[in-house]
Amino acid sequence: MLESHAIGNMQVRVTNVAKTVADCFKFRSLVGLDVAIEALREALRARAASVDELWSYAAICRVTKIMRPYLEALA
């Protein structure tokens, strides 16, 4: 879930793309549904995350019912 990246001489821990998209749907009231849909669209377009990864993190974040129609339409 967390990836470690070296920036300069510091180690920074960030989440992967699929987890970030699922978090956008989880916190859609804060970031907006349009941002969450655009994040999903961009992740699929750039092939930064597979449908299986997205679905897995949607289950972990408990947003499968919310993400399902958008994932089916875009995949």
Side-chain angles (χ1 to χ4, degrees), residues 12-72:
V12 179
R13 292 172 34 156
V14 295
T15 59
N16 60 18
V17 174
K19 171 71 169 141
T20 302
V21 171
D23 283 341
C24 286
F25 277 92
K26 185 173 185 174
F27 300 109
R28 67 193 175 282
S29 63
L30 296 175
V31 299
L33 184 59
D34 56 334
V35 172
I37 294 168
E38 186 61 31
L40 176 61
R41 182 179 291 128
E42 185 61 25
L44 291 171
R45 186 196 63 76
R47 296 182 187 206
S50 70
V51 174
D52 290 336
E53 287 176 317
L54 289 164
W55 191 251
S56 173
Y57 282 105
I60 291 170
C61 292
R62 295 177 288 169
V63 291
T64 53
K65 289 183 180 180
I66 299 158
M67 277 183 68
R68 179 182 309 238
Y70 302 106
L71 197 54
E72 288 175 351

